[in-house]
Amino acid sequence: MNTTRKITERRLNRMIQVLKRRQPDLTVVLENVHDPHNVSAVLRSCDAVGVLAVHLVYTIEEFPDLSKNVSGSALKWLEIIKHKDIQDCYDTLRSQGMTIYTTYLADPQRSHDLYSLDLTKPTALVFGNEQRGVSEEASRLADGNFVIPMMGMVQSLNISVACAVTLYEALRQRRAAGHYDHPKLSREEISTRLHNWLQREKRSIEELQKLI
Amino acid sequence: MNTTRKITERRLNRMIQVLKRRQPDLTVVLENVHDPHNVSAVLRSCDAVGVLAVHLVYTIEEFPDLSKNVSGSALKWLEIIKHKDIQDCYDTLRSQGMTIYTTYLADPQRSHDLYSLDLTKPTALVFGNEQRGVSEEASRLADGNFVIPMMGMVQSLNISVACAVTLYEALRQRRAAGHYDHPKLSREEISTRLHNWLQREKRSIEELQKLI
Ligand SMILES: C[S@@+](CC[C@H](N)C(=O)[O-])C[C@H]1O[C@@H](n2cnc3c(N)ncnc32)[C@H](O)[C@@H]1O
Ligand SMILES: C[S@@+](CC[C@H](N)C(=O)[O-])C[C@H]1O[C@@H](n2cnc3c(N)ncnc32)[C@H](O)[C@@H]1O
């Protein structure tokens, strides 16, 4: 009983620290990414760099079932926002002041190099399906396009790899600029989210105790 | 016929460019990483940043079968070197002047932050099994340990994601330092490797022509 209590308190502090580092002005859009292994790796990376919300545009594929995947658990630390189409998604992002960049590999000439982007600004990053990539529409309606430089023979990276490399470049830039040093969420936003997280934790601790 | 010829010539030039950018002084060690999906994503990232050779230490798991995986094709652009144990692997790497860094997550206090490493120097990066991580032995015998900073609730990244984030930080540093501007392989090394690559290509073009 006491141990559970202590764990909960350490975890509570952890959650608060994590919420204080969340970056509401950095987000990821997944367009029809369908492999559950990839999606769950993407969500882990999002949580790790402090992404608050992930946007989903699933017009062709369905969002995969992550329940069988242990590491799918990052899902519970993220806000998941579903959109009916790309226009709807971009409207939401633009209303939040985001610059939208797609990873449209079909036209590398018209792309920025990842390392030339200023990712300390409010940014939404769009990643595409394993086979088809980002749709032409998503690319056309975006503010710009970027590619991760590739020096080898293969033509593209795995999507979860591409997303992580991009997010970690954002983390590198943002950490240097002090973005993780002061909370970006308001006190109210932090406590609402903390409340939600704790509800889930409590539930799972209760479930755990039933098993003991 | 003519088209095949042209493609082959473009591809030949591509191969030469790629070989001229290969980084023999940047390498990855996989210790018992067993998921074929992860291994194949790792190999794609290695090819993409210009890694020449990948070292395998499989003392518990077997190296996975990548033949069913289309993206396992990055295998053919890399030299794969198998070792009987970690000591054997490190002896080889040290004879090549490499500094060896492990990703030992069990002891973050004694770890460098990824972004504090100088990855322009000859470096070998050791990644571990999905469940167990890097072995205590591999960590103890290495020159140092590093971690990728994590700002969220989850405790670790997917291995292929961790490897790519690290390799791309190496690419970022090395590109800025001009490491991709002049060949690191000798003329002889380039032509030996080109010869091997062409043998494989020729074979597959012949196979292709049988189908036409
Ligand atoms: C396997 S790739 C899709 C390949 C597809 N043939 C295409 O042309 O887009 C899946 C996703 O990974 C991301 N990706 C892969 N390599 C990338 C790179 N070098 N730069 C940026 N994004 C990349 C993109 O989001 C892409 O939509
Ligand atoms: C899923 S992790 C293994 C987790 C395991 N519980 C441990 O403590 O190492 C698999 C591999 O991914 C790499 N990895 C994952 N997260 C990392 C991080 N934050 N920094 C460095 N490497 C990481 C390491 O090579 C690790 O061995």
Side-chain angles (χ1 to χ4, degrees), chain A residues 103 105 127-134 147-148 150 156-157 159 162, chain B residues 44:
Chain A
T103 53
L105 308 185
F127 298 87
N129 176 269
E130 286 83 350
Q131 276 74 49
R132 297 180 309 273
V134 165
V147 283
I148 301 166
M150 298 189 63
S156 69
L157 298 165
I159 143 78
Chain B
R44 268 166 97 175

Side-chain angles (χ1 to χ4, degrees), chain A residues 50-117:
Chain A
V51 164
L52 186 73
V54 175
H55 296 262
L56 308 181
V57 182
Y58 280 72
T59 49
I60 302 176
E61 268 84 6
E62 296 232 331
F63 187 71
D65 177 13
L66 302 180
S67 64
K68 284 171 218 117
N69 201 321
V70 206
S71 51
S73 55
L75 199 57
K76 69 171 176 245
W77 311 117
L78 296 164
E79 200 177 315
I80 304 291
I81 302 165
K82 298 191 180 184
H83 300 276
K84 69 174 194 322
D85 55 32
I86 203 76
Q87 185 67 65
D88 179 41
C89 176
Y90 286 8
D91 287 347
T92 305
L93 296 172
R94 290 213 168 93
S95 75
Q96 294 169 8
M98 304 268 188
T99 299
I100 303 168
Y101 290 111
T102 49
T103 53
Y104 187 60
L105 308 185
D107 199 355
Q109 305 298 2
R110 286 192 328 175
S111 294
H112 302 278
D113 184 288
L114 165 64
Y115 299 102
S116 74
L117 300 180

Side-chain angles (χ1 to χ4, degrees), chain B residues 18-52:
Chain B
V18 165
L19 285 166
K20 285 187 173 172
R21 289 186 300 225
R22 280 298 196 236
Q23 307 283 308
D25 56 350
L26 177 66
T27 189
V28 162
V29 178
L30 297 182
E31 194 194 33
N32 297 305
V33 177
H34 80 269
D35 182 324
H37 192 289
N38 285 335
V39 172
S40 103
V42 164
L43 299 178
R44 268 166 97 175
S45 307
C46 285
D47 170 71
V49 304
V51 164
L52 185 74

Side-chain angles (χ1 to χ4, degrees), chain A residues 109-190:
Chain A
Q109 305 298 2
R110 286 192 328 175
S111 294
H112 302 278
D113 184 288
L114 165 64
Y115 299 102
S116 74
L117 300 180
D118 179 356
L119 297 170
T120 62
K121 298 203 180 127
T123 312
L125 303 155
V126 187
F127 298 87
N129 176 269
E130 286 83 350
Q131 276 74 49
R132 297 180 309 273
V134 165
S135 68
E136 193 275 327
E137 189 193 11
S139 165
R140 185 167 32 83
L141 299 174
D143 299 302
N145 191 52
F146 75 96
V147 283
I148 301 166
M150 298 189 63
M151 306 294 190
M153 291 299 296
V154 298
Q155 307 274 1
S156 69
L157 298 165
N158 168 282
I159 143 78
S160 67
V161 155
C163 181
V165 166
T166 308
L167 287 174
Y168 266 94
E169 175 57 14
L171 176 141
R172 193 187 66 81
Q173 293 183 12
R174 284 170 178 245
R175 200 169 57 160
H179 286 235
Y180 294 99
D181 301 342
H182 305 286
K184 294 195 173 194
L185 294 173
S186 71
R187 219 172 247 276
E188 292 69 40
E189 286 167 321
I190 290 179

